[in-house]
């Protein structure tokens, strides 16, 4: 039983080419569960196969994911670390996703590998292992580890399961295939415990987050005959409640979850920028393309952008773009 | 590969004894996803094996679960239906769980089978297929169906997957074993789609529910040095928002999810009664025994009761009982 036969040859080549190198495993800025799980999981797997591997990220690991860091650290980017190392990107649709400062640092380096599941991946590295049918980058890494008979210890399994759980929305999104469940079963057999991830991520809520959630829920409304759901958090709300940016994880899902809503959009007012996040009921709405209109990107059903415009400026522009998209999809236009 | 070898012989005997009977598949009052999934799934499986089976429940099917009823109905209890039929209970810890009126109707009937995963099950029927290591009654039914090589069509698979998804809290509770994931993979291969269940149950929220949730979040507090989390919904809140009782599904989880909380308790004020629901961080807190002190029951980590006392009367009594339980567990007393 092979999970990713289509990636086997390229993975063999990638692995053969790094066997004697120092490898930096890079993930995207503002990392989520799939990114951290993939970075730590892959570093641990590579080390157990004798490769000198280290994980690097521009941003700190969210508190809720710190339980994965028991034995394996994630370093902050630095020019020294790069010297003579090979770069292996995980969960990054393009090399810029590691953050603007880090991107500058790696210019001219050896972009060796790229393991990812984003449909928008630009195949920017030498070995591109991109599989958009996967629900998570951790699914690809877990599948390859089992396909190659590598040793998956309990903490590695926990890292990979965490990526799968988070990027499937706890096994709820359309990409949740039988392969996702089969690999999860294998990871549990290797010692991963779903309850550990769930308790840290979903059942260990700081009271300030619940206060922020309450404020956010009060802003929820629908537009476009109930097909557009939207809500926001103001910079003031963070200050008033003491909540951090990472505490808004999942808020966007509420905008899409309202009965009848096809596209949800969540706005987050930060100190000097505004983040917009989209969720769609189905891939037909291609919210990755909507996000691209505002300088962002992502998946067909989940995408995001960041802007210097104010909340009052950006909202009507985004609503207009969504209204147009809703009409296009309703008319059967392929967007 | 056999999922439930320990139940095989008894299931064979049960099946042999009903082959020519009319079978009523009974579930508990105020049915949830595991109950409805088990009732419909088992009825469909039995019918495909040539058995004349019908599902009965005292209460209506929640709107969010109605997508499972496409082809198979659930009847309301009646004296006529019982005449000469064999009773097969699913997801019922005891025969009284089908509701007080229904319980009266079935007195003296043939309690033939009892398929359940509650640790508190009283083995009240002739053939008791009780497996507390299972996360869901639907897990047992799915496992037996595969063990016996029965045909699992797409809608049957969807029913069984729904029970597994809901009773594992979307694969988040401690009972989420590799068997749970393996069976889920098989059910997806049979045509079940996790996204269908998730969208109906978790991503199709009436606005009135979100308004109720916002009111509920405003009541959240902690006690006992932050180890007890609690919140409530008043009867007035239902009237003001237009939400129904079924819309509070999941509210109790917020009480337990607060950082540091060991036991959460949620109070729901109905027209003339108050419902109390417990959730515990681990089985050591045995909230089923706490619920029993107030006339209820359930699992070690999730239990509930209903009382005629007012909210103001019952709250301090429940808080005192929880405070004592927290102290006992802290002192290592086996409760």
């Amino acid at each position: 039983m092979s999970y990713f036969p289509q990636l086997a040859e390229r993975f063999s080549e990638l692995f053969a080419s790094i066997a004697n190198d120092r490898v930096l495993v890079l993930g995207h800025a503002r990392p989520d569960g799939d990114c951290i799980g993939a970075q730590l999981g892959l570093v641990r797997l590579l080390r157990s196969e004798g490769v000198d591997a280290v994980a690097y990220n521009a941003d700190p690991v969210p508190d809720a994911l710190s339980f994965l860091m028991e034995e394996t650290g994630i370093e902050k980017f630095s020019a020294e670390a790069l010297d003579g190392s090979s770069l292996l990107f995980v969960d990054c649709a393009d090399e810029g996703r590691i953050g603007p400062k880090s991107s500058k640092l790696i210019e001219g380096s050896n972009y060796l590998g790229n393991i990812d599941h984003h449909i928008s991946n630009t195949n920017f590295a030498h070995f591109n292992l991109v599989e958009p049918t996967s629900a998570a980058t951790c699914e690809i890494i877990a599948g390859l580890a089992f396909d190659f008979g590598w040793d998956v210890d309990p903490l590695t399994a926990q890292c990979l399961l965490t990526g799968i759980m988070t990027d499937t929305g706890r096994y709820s999104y359309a990409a949740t295939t039988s392969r996702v469940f089969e690999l999860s079963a294998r990871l549990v057999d290797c010692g991963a415990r779903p309850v550990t991830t769930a308790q840290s991520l979903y059942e260990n809520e700081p009271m300030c987050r619940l206060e922020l959630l309450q404020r956010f829920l009060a802003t929820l409304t629908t537009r476009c005959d109930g097909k557009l759901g939207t809500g926001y958090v103001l910079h003031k709300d963070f200050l008033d409640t003491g909540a951090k940016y990472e505490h808004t994880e999942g808020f966007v899902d509420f905008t899409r979850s309202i009965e009848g809503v096809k596209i949800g959009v969540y706005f987050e007012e930060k100190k000097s920028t505004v983040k917009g996040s989209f969720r769609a009921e189905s891939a037909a709405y291609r919210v990755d393309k909507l996000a691209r209109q505002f300088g962002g990107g992502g998946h067909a059903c989940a995408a995001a952008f960041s802007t210097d415009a104010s909340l009052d400026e950006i909202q009507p522009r985004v609503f207009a773009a969504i209204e147009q998209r809703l009409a296009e999809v309703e008319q059967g236009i392929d967007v």
Side-chain angles (χ1 to χ4, degrees), chain A residues 223 228 265 267 278 290 292-295 305-325:
Chain A
R223 310 171 68 97
L228 189 175
V265 59
F267 297 98
F278 298 96
L290 272 181
R292 220 178 296 158
Q293 288 179 37
F294 299 95
F305 69 90
S306 186
T307 177
D308 293 332
S310 74
L311 186 60
D312 287 343
E313 278 167 356
I314 197 70
Q315 275 184 324
R317 289 171 51 203
V318 171
F319 293 152
I322 294 176
E323 187 167 14
Q324 194 186 333
R325 177 59 44 92

Side-chain angles (χ1 to χ4, degrees), chain A residues 257-299:
Chain A
S257 74
I258 304 164
E259 204 171 19
V261 165
K262 306 295 179 190
I263 300 179
V265 59
Y266 160 67
F267 297 98
E268 188 170 309
E269 190 187 49
K270 295 173 191 286
K271 205 174 171 191
S272 55
T273 57
V274 170
K275 191 187 169 190
S277 299
F278 298 96
R279 288 290 184 277
E281 190 194 46
S282 81
Y285 295 98
R286 286 302 300 263
V287 291
D288 57 320
K289 290 192 177 175
L290 272 181
R292 220 178 296 158
Q293 288 179 37
F294 299 95
H299 303 277

Side-chain angles (χ1 to χ4, degrees), chain A residues 31-208:
Chain A
D32 56 11
D34 193 28
C35 178
I36 296 298
Q39 287 192 265
L40 293 173
L42 187 57
V43 161
R44 295 178 61 83
L45 287 166
L46 288 172
R47 285 184 186 169
S48 82
E49 293 295 315
V51 176
D52 179 16
V54 190
Y56 277 80
N57 200 297
D59 288 328
V61 175
D63 290 344
L65 292 165
S66 60
F67 73 104
L68 297 174
M69 310 258 288
E70 266 171 45
E71 297 174 6
T72 323
I74 295 201
E75 309 286 323
K76 260 191 91 70
F77 254 91
S78 72
E80 303 79 58
L82 283 164
D83 196 36
S85 299
S86 290
L87 306 188
L88 189 38
F89 297 76
V90 293
D91 206 35
C92 291
D94 59 66
E95 64 273 43
R97 293 284 284 114
I98 62 172
K101 279 188 198 164
S102 311
S103 288
K104 277 230 169 98
L105 283 175
I106 63 164
E107 269 175 22
S109 295
N110 174 19
Y111 297 179
L112 192 72
N114 161 27
I115 306 180
D116 187 35
H117 70 121
H118 291 85
I119 196 171
S120 55
N121 194 290
T122 59
N123 292 305
F124 56 88
H126 189 67
F127 294 107
N128 299 293
L129 289 91
V130 179
E131 187 45 75
T133 67
S134 279
T137 297
C138 282
E139 181 191 347
I140 304 173
I141 295 172
L144 289 169
F146 291 126
D147 285 349
F148 281 77
W150 288 6
D151 177 48
V152 180
D153 68 31
L155 186 50
T156 303
Q158 192 74 44
C159 290
L160 298 174
L161 188 81
T162 298
I164 293 174
M165 263 188 110
T166 52
D167 253 28
T168 57
R170 285 192 269 181
Y171 302 91
S172 294
Y173 300 155
T176 310
T177 58
S178 60
R179 183 175 63 198
V180 166
F181 283 125
E182 278 166 24
L183 286 168
S184 298
R186 297 274 308 256
L187 292 169
V188 170
D189 282 335
C190 291
R193 296 185 67 225
V195 66
T196 304
T197 294
Q199 287 200 342
S200 184
L201 277 157
Y202 310 112
E203 296 166 31
N204 197 25
E205 312 251 44
M207 197 57 122
C208 59

Side-chain angles (χ1 to χ4, degrees), chain A residues 233-245 248 268:
Chain A
V233 166
L234 301 177
H235 184 56
K236 181 181 177 302
D237 295 323
F238 288 107
L239 299 178
D240 289 353
T241 59
K244 300 190 221 171
Y245 293 150
T248 64
E268 188 170 309

